Amino acid sequence: MIEILDLTKEYSGNKVVDGLDLRVEDGELFGFLGPNGAGKTTTIRILTTLTKPTSGHALINGFDVMKEPIRVKSQFGIVQQHLSLNRELTVRENLELHARLHHLSRAERKERIDELLEYVDMTGDADQLIDKISGGMKRRTMIARALIHRPKLLFLDEPTVGLDAQTRRRVWDLIRRMNSDGTTVFLTTHYIEEAEALCNRVGIVYRGKLISMGSPLNMRQKLGMITVETKDNGHTKYSYFPDREAASRFINELKVSDKVVMRQSNLEDVFVELTGQKVMEE
């Protein structure tokens, strides 16, 4: 569904995307992770035809992003991080406007809008003004709008930012449902547990380069399935082990009185070890 070959984007001699190679399969739920400034947003802007690369190639469902932008735009929908709904319109009117922009006929518009309102559980709120609905409902409206033209690929840029835990999980369920219904999902998120919960595979990008890719479980196995946290002069040290037995031997040999924590490793451990940064650091 997505094929990126030696993609580079420079600004004033600075390579924001640096020789990126990436392939996302049809039907995949793929997570694209990296600290701020790693090149995630620029890559998405290139894939969605908003930014021209300095060099390299990018294809969406076989169509060249640079040579066939109109065909490419018909293949994807996008849910941006920031609210981009028309606040003066109702939920239904926002969907109606987007359907008209995609040249759906009157009959198609009504059928598709009703179908999507039911799909995102918004039928009862269709005539509410955007300013009158909750943050989670706005996100679901944006997802419905992005699906109006039945795209094969959906870009989700921080889809649950600012939502409470319960609402986030509801959006997660919707993302899983879309993916199981055949939509390829390309997800960026600052919530590492979100990528771990949702994604078949994740790619970690750092300073414009892809530095690791695989399933969350495979990445954890490479690092070590068990994490031991120890304190040293107020600083926490992290050590990784293949199993609890090896971790226990390590703990028994320690000569410290500070608190020691043994736990399962997670994708955030992998991320920090690879990049040396928390996901939201510059």
Side-chain angles (χ1 to χ4, degrees), residues 44-51 59-61 63-78 98 101-102 145-155:
I44 289 179
R45 286 184 61 85
I46 292 171
L47 290 172
T48 55
T49 76
L50 296 175
T51 296
L59 294 89
I60 301 288
N61 199 26
F63 300 113
D64 190 295
V65 169
M66 289 293 295
K67 296 177 181 178
E68 303 171 277
I70 302 300
R71 296 291 296 272
V72 167
K73 287 176 183 178
S74 71
Q75 302 299 306
F76 71 82
I78 184 167
H98 210 64
L101 292 174
H102 280 283
R145 185 184 64 177
L147 294 173
I148 202 83
H149 58 299
R150 292 184 171 86
K152 299 179 184 298
L153 169 66
L154 185 64
F155 290 100

Side-chain angles (χ1 to χ4, degrees), residues 234-253:
H235 297 287
T236 302
K237 180 181 178 182
Y238 300 86
S239 303
Y240 304 98
F241 304 90
D243 52 43
R244 287 185 174 274
E245 184 179 352
S248 296
R249 287 198 301 269
F250 171 78
I251 291 171
N252 290 334
E253 293 172 1

Side-chain angles (χ1 to χ4, degrees), residues 132-238:
K132 300 296 183 182
I133 61 177
S134 68
M137 293 165 73
K138 289 172 184 174
R139 288 288 165 185
R140 284 185 278 143
T141 301
M142 289 172 70
I143 290 172
R145 185 184 64 177
L147 294 173
I148 202 83
H149 58 299
R150 292 184 171 86
K152 299 179 184 298
L153 169 66
L154 185 64
F155 290 100
L156 297 176
D157 186 12
E158 306 286 346
T160 63
V161 66
L163 302 182
D164 61 71
Q166 184 176 3
T167 305
R168 282 174 62 200
R169 289 177 182 269
R170 191 171 183 181
V171 174
W172 288 5
D173 287 340
L174 178 56
I175 293 170
R176 290 190 185 101
R177 182 180 173 189
M178 288 188 299
N179 183 240
S180 66
D181 288 344
T183 303
T184 305
V185 177
F186 189 95
L187 168 75
T188 69
T189 178
H190 278 138
Y191 301 122
I192 295 292
E193 74 277 12
E194 183 163 272
E196 193 160 18
L198 292 175
C199 297
N200 312 120
R201 285 192 310 150
V202 298
I204 297 177
V205 63
Y206 183 57
R207 295 181 177 176
K209 293 180 178 292
L210 188 69
I211 60 172
S212 186
M213 187 161 60
S215 71
L217 177 59
N218 180 253
M219 287 184 166
R220 287 177 54 213
Q221 288 171 334
K222 288 181 180 179
L223 179 68
M225 294 296 290
I226 302 298
T227 301
V228 174
E229 301 179 11
T230 54
K231 296 279 183 148
D232 183 16
N233 294 324
H235 297 287
T236 302
K237 180 181 178 182
Y238 300 86

